[in-house]
Amino acid sequence: MLRSLVGSEMCIRDRYGGHALSQRTTIVIMSTKGSVLVLGAGYVAKPLVHYLSSHNFKVIVASRTLEKTESLVKGAAHATSVQADVEKEEDMNKIEDLVKGVDAVVSMLPYVYHVQVAKLAVKHKKHFFTTSYVSDAMKALEKDALDAGIVMINECGVDPGTDHMSAMRVINEVRKNGGHIVSFTSYCGGLPKPSDNNNPFGYKFSWAPRGVLLASKNSAFFLKDGKEEHIPGEVLFDCYQVEEVGDLGKFECYPNRNSTQYIDVYNLKGIKTMIRGTYRNLGWCRTVKKIADLGYLSLDKTSFDKSTYADVLRQRIGAKDTTNLKEGLANYLKLKTDDPIIHAIEWLGLLSDKPVPSKIDTHLDLLCDIMLSKMQYEKGEVDMLVMKHTFIAEYPEKKERQTITSTLIDYGIKDGDSSMSRTVSYPVAIVIRLVLEGKIKGLKGLQIPVIPELYEPILNELETLGIKFVEKWEDPIKY
């Protein structure tokens, strides 16, 4: 084994331009019990890489930016870096060679590349993992995965991921006790820790804001009191509710995309209410809705040549000039000048005389650029992950009804890994280890973690890492 692995490591270094390794380092790295290719070196990948390395797996991290990859593997004794860009055809040959030489492949790339990588994994009979939602194109690979004798585990992060696991743990316990779920609501949000929640939006970005902002345009489909509901994207943020989460206080919550598809996933036939959604701090929905009303979520190509942010806003509200722009903005939005929304827009810099960067060519990109410059986590600041499920269970034989909650509140590590990176990457890291160590047997084809064989060991180990769902089972009442 040592000889073949050393040869493989030298091949990676020589052919793909990875960081040169000393002979001593190479020998240490080779004392592993399996190998994993991680594609993507983004914000949430570090805990995954270091977890697998600490459990004696050889980890190869491939990304288009070698500097970023080398920084990510620093301190992980069994991890090495490779430069490869999935968007370049010539680099896909490198990636395919890497796939051939490992036991498992995990894609931490943007979701549009998952199927491309999964096809290589199926072709070479390597287990495949990702934290992203199952797409139709991924579903189409299930028969090929079964024929190849491999498992493809998707939706194994936090949302999706531990949301499924913690929900199914409660749902199956209710069934075991002779009951069934008649109502299920679930909300999740990655937010600043309250002590670091210090901007008017109540939100901070760890990566590009584009995805978060575009998600605010998605329509929502859900089931409420036995009736299918639809909220168009353009009015989604007019339809938020407020929910309290323990000692953290109140949050805005709104439905996210199509909740009804999870009725079948969780086998909740006959359920009356099914809503999955998002948490945000108070004020987010009204503020982003007004910014959307101003046209800042538009993807239409626009020239901002020699324009300032104030010039752009003037054009959006139809003002003659930038004099009294704040008052003109308030009038346009039908708000008072001292409204918190006007303050947030002004704080962001949309009324400033600074020039719009020349690279910007859509209003959405303008908004993303200025948000990223003002709304990032500073050194020493900490994020948190909040998730809460609320179930109503009925027990027909006893004529009883019971409310159950399952809540996760997790904080990032100051000057260390964020909560978002830990809660996204640890679940998939754990399941990779379990599969490669042979502790999950007989599982093949496309899977998500809604079966006890997957969610029980993952949730149990997450608790040892300080990531724990707290369940509260209220006393049943007669109906």
Side-chain angles (χ1 to χ4, degrees), residues 288-320:
V288 174
K289 177 62 167 62
K290 291 299 187 183
I291 289 175
D293 290 345
L294 289 167
Y296 281 97
L297 299 187
S298 172
L299 288 166
D300 295 338
K301 295 294 183 181
T302 306
S303 174
F304 299 110
D305 186 40
K306 298 180 181 179
S307 294
T308 66
Y309 289 102
D311 291 330
V312 176
L313 182 58
R314 177 188 62 77
Q315 293 168 2
R316 299 311 304 173
I317 65 175
K320 293 181 179 180

Side-chain angles (χ1 to χ4, degrees), residues 123-139:
K123 177 181 177 181
H124 298 289
K125 299 183 178 180
K126 309 296 182 180
H127 300 301
F128 175 81
F129 305 83
T130 181
T131 61
S132 297
Y133 287 104
V134 175
S135 65
D136 290 340
M138 188 69 72
K139 288 179 184 176

Side-chain angles (χ1 to χ4, degrees), residues 409-458:
I409 300 173
D410 182 74
Y411 298 104
I413 300 168
K414 187 174 182 178
D415 297 323
D417 292 331
S418 67
S419 175
M420 184 63 73
S421 66
R422 295 170 70 249
T423 55
V424 169
S425 64
Y426 277 146
V428 72
I430 292 167
V431 81
I432 291 168
R433 178 182 64 79
L434 293 171
V435 168
L436 295 187
E437 288 180 349
K439 294 180 179 178
I440 298 177
K441 301 182 183 297
L443 208 59
K444 294 182 176 63
L446 182 61
Q447 302 283 342
I448 64 173
V450 293
I451 56 175
E453 296 91 330
L454 289 176
Y455 68 72
E456 289 289 3
I458 297 173

